[in-house]
Amino acid sequence: MTARRKREEETPGAAVEAEPEPRLKRRYREEIAPALMRRFGYRQVMEAPRLSKIVVSMGVGAATQDPKILDNAMRDLATITGQQPVISRAKRSIAQFRVRQKNPIGCKVTLRRDRMYEFLDRLINLALPRIRDFRGLPPEAVDGRGNYNLGLREQSVFPEVDIDKVTRVQGMNVTIVTTARTDEEALALLREFGLPLRE
């Protein structure tokens, strides 16, 4: 049962407004996929690379000493992504870092479908331009399987985060997972979306 049908059943007689389609999702269907088909010579639209998911994670090693730091990081990550994060736990004990196995050491969110497109739109148009002395993202940050990784030094580049409530500057890692088979295809896809990659 779809979410829309479920809402219609919960509110009988009430007209349910369809949520607007994310701007980047519509742009991919109408502009980006046809452009990639022309460039790489795909015969079917399903051959064109597309976004699969976006994983946003925060490593909070200091949470082993102060659990409130992890709570604050989870609050900020939920505000940024619009989705409740899950806690990442240590896989093994490391005495030098005072980390025991299964200690909470971070949090992450996996975004798919509409939320993924909405987050990427905000990342490209709102967050990245707010980075001080920003000169573009390195194109070398692909992993050989069509996925792109980028790191942000502070959560305050997202306008949703209330700076007055930030108790600790916290960096995050963003992994953009695509269906591209090569790095060239992945970079072409991300450039079409508007990700500011250096030449």
Side-chain angles (χ1 to χ4, degrees):
M1 182 185 291
T2 63
R4 183 177 176 182
R5 191 171 162 193
K6 189 175 179 183
R7 286 198 303 270
E8 285 173 352
E9 288 179 5
E10 289 173 358
T11 56
V16 178
E17 288 184 28
E19 293 177 7
E21 186 179 36
R23 184 173 58 166
L24 287 186
K25 186 177 181 181
R26 185 173 64 250
R27 190 169 154 215
Y28 173 80
R29 191 179 64 247
E30 295 173 359
E31 300 172 25
I32 297 173
L36 292 172
M37 287 179 72
R38 287 191 299 272
R39 177 172 173 179
F40 293 101
Y42 302 125
R43 288 178 292 179
Q44 300 288 331
V45 71
M46 294 303 289
E47 290 182 76
R50 59 189 181 277
L51 294 182
S52 176
K53 62 183 176 181
I54 295 177
V55 181
V56 188
S57 59
M58 284 183 172
V60 193
T64 56
Q65 312 301 320
D66 184 3
K68 286 185 74 176
I69 294 174
L70 180 60
D71 294 339
N72 293 336
M74 288 185 68
R75 182 200 64 212
D76 290 343
L77 193 54
T79 303
I80 291 166
T81 60
Q83 189 169 304
Q84 187 62 31
V86 295
I87 294 174
S88 303
R89 298 183 181 275
K91 292 180 180 175
R92 63 178 71 89
S93 299
I94 304 172
Q96 293 161 325
F97 299 114
R98 297 179 184 176
V99 173
R100 290 185 179 174
Q101 190 175 10
K102 296 186 180 178
N103 269 7
I105 54 168
C107 53
K108 66 177 181 178
V109 164
T110 302
L111 301 169
R112 290 184 170 87
R113 301 182 191 87
D114 287 2
R115 278 190 180 159
M116 168 183 70
Y117 287 103
E118 287 164 0
F119 174 81
L120 184 63
D121 197 356
R122 285 184 287 113
L123 177 71
I124 293 169
N125 297 305
L126 296 175
L128 293 178
R130 292 177 58 157
I131 296 175
R132 194 179 299 122
D133 299 326
F134 181 67
R135 293 187 177 89
L137 297 170
E140 306 85 40
V142 280
D143 65 355
R145 296 184 203 85
N147 307 316
Y148 189 87
N149 293 285
L150 66 103
L152 299 173
R153 290 185 179 171
E154 51 188 69
Q155 72 274 49
S156 59
V157 294
F158 288 93
E160 301 92 342
V161 176
D162 186 357
I163 298 174
D164 296 331
K165 292 182 180 177
V166 172
T167 55
R168 183 175 185 269
V169 174
Q170 180 65 51
M172 66 181 72
N173 186 64
V174 179
T175 302
I176 303 171
V177 180
T178 74
T179 61
R181 290 179 291 250
T182 65
D183 290 347
E184 183 189 0
E185 291 173 324
L187 291 173
L189 172 68
L190 295 174
R191 281 197 170 99
E192 289 287 345
F193 273 118
L195 198 70
L197 297 167
R198 291 197 294 264
E199 293 298 330

